[in-house]
Amino acid sequence: MMLKKKHRLTRYKMYQDIEKNLRKPMSGKILAISSPEGFSEMIDLKNSEITETSFPEVDCQNLPFEDNSFDYVISDQVLEHITMPEQAIKEALRVLKPNGIAIHTTCFMNYYHPSPIDYFRFSPDALKYLYHGYSRIIIGGWGNRLAIAICMLGDRFRAIPIPNHKYSLRNFIASYNKTRYPISTWSIAEK
């Protein structure tokens, strides 16, 4: 059985925080540079047109779309796999409509995972540095020492399902955040 990305240990809190920081559900024209599955509960599917692409087939550092084409650009765990992440952030800005939103998720404390190549890790400060020309930026990160230890046990443990009820030990581990130990990092930026 394939687990939804939203319910994995390393992404559970990240998706919750992104959803809380969005003013409303995503709608309109959405460019998804990777699977939008983790964002599915944040998208108003009735009022959206999703263009789903995949890196490296579509190079997010040189997007093949016109300026001001999309209301949202989302990339999920892509920035660490490209050679010029700052260029990808600029390209998202270029293809966004005025007041459009770019959402990028990535990692900081993570094992080597080539897909096809693994180049970078991003602290919240590094993500903030990449955003030039955006009017509003929200940066976040999630992690804690116990989650890092669990993640080092291997993919099977990273992918443990996280129940939504707060009295679960797994939910506590996936929700507890110590800013000094970010595993996952993310950004929401408005054009």
Side-chain angles (χ1 to χ4, degrees), residues 151-190:
C151 289
M152 294 304 122
L153 294 173
D155 281 343
R156 193 173 106 205
F157 294 95
R158 293 172 64 86
I160 59 173
I162 306 301
N164 281 324
H165 54 87
K166 66 181 179 179
Y167 298 111
S168 159
L169 178 60
R170 287 179 285 163
N171 184 287
F172 172 77
I173 295 167
S175 299
Y176 181 63
N177 192 25
K178 292 298 282 183
T179 56
R180 290 186 51 142
Y181 302 96
I183 295 171
S184 300
T185 55
W186 54 268
S187 56
I188 301 172
E190 184 175 351

Side-chain angles (χ1 to χ4, degrees), residues 35-55:
S35 171
E37 179 184 354
F39 297 96
S40 61
E41 293 176 17
M42 298 176 232
I43 298 172
D44 176 359
L45 294 173
K46 291 180 183 176
N47 296 304
S48 297
E49 175 187 328
I50 301 172
T51 301
E52 191 171 340
T53 65
S54 183
F55 179 81

Side-chain angles (χ1 to χ4, degrees), residues 18-25 72 99 101 136 190:
I18 291 170
E19 187 169 15
K20 284 178 189 172
N21 280 284
L22 288 174
R23 294 181 185 155
K24 57 186 178 186
Y72 291 87
N99 301 110
I101 304 287
R136 181 176 69 99
E190 184 175 351

Side-chain angles (χ1 to χ4, degrees), residues 11 14 19 29 44 58-59 61 65 68 89 91-92 98 111 125 138 140 159 162 165 167 176:
R11 299 183 185 188
M14 177 186 74
E19 187 169 15
K29 290 187 72 176
D44 176 359
V58 172
D59 184 2
Q61 301 159 116
F65 303 105
N68 305 308
I89 301 293
E91 275 294 281
Y111 64 93
D125 290 335
I138 301 170
I162 306 301
H165 54 87
Y167 298 111
Y176 181 63

Side-chain angles (χ1 to χ4, degrees), residues 97-139:
K97 295 177 181 177
N99 301 110
I101 304 287
I103 303 171
H104 298 280
T105 72
T106 188
C107 58
F108 183 58
M109 292 185 195
N110 203 355
Y111 64 93
Y112 177 70
H113 59 288
S115 182
I117 299 172
D118 189 3
Y119 290 107
F120 296 104
R121 297 294 178 265
F122 297 91
S123 68
D125 290 335
L127 277 180
K128 188 175 183 178
Y129 172 79
L130 295 175
Y131 285 90
H132 307 286
Y134 286 82
S135 65
R136 181 176 69 99
I137 306 160
I138 301 170
I139 305 292

Side-chain angles (χ1 to χ4, degrees), residues 29-31 63-73 90-101 191:
K29 290 187 72 176
I30 300 170
L31 173 60
L63 291 169
F65 303 105
E66 298 290 322
D67 295 359
N68 305 308
S69 299
F70 295 95
D71 298 292
Y72 291 87
V73 173
K90 287 178 185 176
E91 275 294 281
L93 180 65
R94 181 185 66 77
V95 302
L96 280 171
K97 295 177 181 177
N99 301 110
I101 304 287
K191 182 172 183 176

